[in-house]
Amino acid sequence: MQASDFKQLFLPCHRKLFSVAYRLMGNVQAAEDLVQETFLKLWMQRDKMGTVDHPEAYSITVLRRLFYDKMRTGRLQEVDKDVGTLQVSSSQNISRQLEQADECQRVRQMIVSLPEPQASIMLMRDVEDRSYEEISIETGLTEVNIRSILSRARKKIREQIKAMRYDKD
């Protein structure tokens, strides 16, 4: 694949890739880094790819897999907010914000630790806000099967959240 073909195929996907990366990472800089890593990986694989029917779906899959790899190896260091952007109104408010951020991080980790395909389907549907049809095209599963897998994944997450809150009290 030539550079011009690559640019024409994948560069229009930047906005969607950034959107997905930001939802996964929760940080603008980390999201942009992940998008750049995705483009680098796509560029390195350009000769092995052949023709890509759905470049956006393909590039999002590459991005998600890079994210999973980082989460699994523990190399991901997230910074939710810059200290300068936090507005302090009361210590109780800060405490609650920290609790919520911690819970969000735990839930994100719970989702990533689900078995496949539950983790990827839940991320595609609930984090990336993709339609059942898009998920079906990417995974090759039927929409009914996707709904069933998603239901089981959500049930596991709900149970883990209940256990987490029960342990906290």
Side-chain angles (χ1 to χ4, degrees):
M1 178 181 297
Q2 299 295 323
S4 59
D5 297 333
F6 181 85
K7 288 178 185 177
Q8 189 175 19
L9 203 57
F10 290 109
L11 286 185
C13 305
H14 183 273
R15 177 174 276 172
K16 182 69 174 182
L17 285 173
F18 179 79
S19 173
V20 171
Y22 183 76
R23 286 187 202 130
L24 292 171
M25 305 294 282
N27 177 322
V28 173
Q29 191 62 39
E32 191 58 46
D33 289 345
L34 187 59
V35 170
Q36 292 304 316
E37 284 183 54
T38 303
F39 280 129
L40 179 62
K41 181 134 183 143
L42 290 168
W43 177 253
M44 300 302 279
Q45 295 176 346
R46 72 187 183 280
D47 294 329
K48 300 174 191 173
M49 272 187 238
T51 59
V52 177
D53 295 329
H54 303 284
E56 187 174 280
Y58 184 80
S59 58
I60 289 171
T61 300
V62 170
L63 181 133
R64 276 194 356 265
R65 289 182 179 157
L66 285 170
F67 172 76
Y68 295 150
D69 290 345
K70 285 184 173 215
M71 290 300 288
R72 285 187 188 115
T73 59
R75 292 181 300 169
L76 182 64
Q77 295 180 3
E78 287 191 20
V79 178
D80 289 333
K81 291 187 178 179
D82 184 40
V83 177
T85 62
L86 293 175
Q87 295 180 354
V88 180
S89 58
S90 74
S91 62
Q92 186 179 23
N93 217 5
I94 292 173
S95 173
R96 183 66 189 140
Q97 286 177 349
L98 290 174
E99 275 183 33
Q100 288 175 341
D102 186 46
E103 282 183 11
C104 286
Q105 180 60 32
R106 286 183 187 175
V107 170
R108 185 177 287 154
Q109 188 61 41
M110 286 177 198
I111 292 171
V112 171
S113 66
L114 286 171
E116 287 297 329
Q118 289 180 352
S120 59
I121 289 175
M122 191 167 194
L123 282 171
M124 284 188 270
R125 180 67 183 157
D126 294 337
V127 176
E128 298 171 12
D129 197 30
R130 295 174 69 181
S131 70
Y132 290 106
E133 182 181 358
E134 287 177 310
I135 297 169
S136 176
I137 290 170
E138 189 167 325
T139 61
L141 300 170
T142 65
E143 290 185 30
V144 173
N145 197 357
I146 291 168
R147 289 177 196 272
S148 174
I149 291 169
L150 187 58
S151 174
R152 279 181 263 152
R154 287 175 176 163
K155 183 179 178 184
K156 282 183 184 179
I157 296 296
R158 274 193 304 273
E159 289 169 357
Q160 291 177 1
I161 290 171
K162 284 180 186 177
M164 180 177 71
R165 288 188 176 154
Y166 179 75
D167 291 340
K168 192 164 58 169
D169 293 336

